[in-house]
Amino acid sequence: MRIPRFLVAVAAAPLLMTSLSGCTTTSVVCSTNSCNVSVKTAGQATTKVWDHEVTVSDLDGGSVTMSYGGQSITLQQGEVGELGPLSVEVKEAADGKVKLQFTR
């Protein structure tokens, strides 16, 4: 029995898209005043910290760039900065992965 090419293409599309888009893993654990965020990605990832959408990118060389509401900051491991109404500390930073702590 021959399988039509269309069905083969439809079945293969999700696998192809997964391999092209890479893999992103995000973990967010929040309490009242603090959020711990872990991101593992080869590109960029957007995650929700309380009611704020934060984009994390350029995870290389021990630094990370974060964006929120048109504002961007780049921080090294151990540094603290302000991103909109949030304070953020880079707990760990390595190629492709970062651990952040946000406070409000």
Side-chain angles (χ1 to χ4, degrees):
M1 174 176 136
R2 286 189 52 171
I3 300 173
R5 286 185 191 173
F6 172 76
L7 291 178
V8 172
V10 169
L15 295 173
L16 179 60
M17 294 305 289
T18 301
S19 65
L20 291 177
S21 65
C23 184
T24 297
T25 306
T26 305
S27 167
V28 180
V29 178
C30 295
S31 64
T32 304
N33 294 317
S34 162
C35 269
N36 292 309
V37 176
S38 296
V39 176
K40 192 174 190 180
T41 185
Q44 74 175 28
T46 300
T47 189
K48 200 156 192 144
V49 179
W50 292 294
D51 294 333
H52 312 287
E53 292 222 354
V54 176
T55 300
V56 177
S57 60
D58 299 329
L59 285 74
D60 56 13
S63 69
V64 58
T65 299
M66 293 159 282
S67 304
Y68 168 77
Q71 176 190 1
S72 288
I73 59 170
T74 300
L75 298 174
Q76 298 285 327
Q77 181 172 319
E79 290 185 322
V80 177
E82 300 296 319
L83 188 62
L86 305 173
S87 178
V88 58
E89 179 180 359
V90 181
K91 294 291 196 176
E92 294 178 31
D95 289 347
K97 60 185 176 180
V98 67
K99 290 187 181 182
L100 308 166
Q101 183 176 46
F102 289 89
T103 55
R104 50 179 170 178

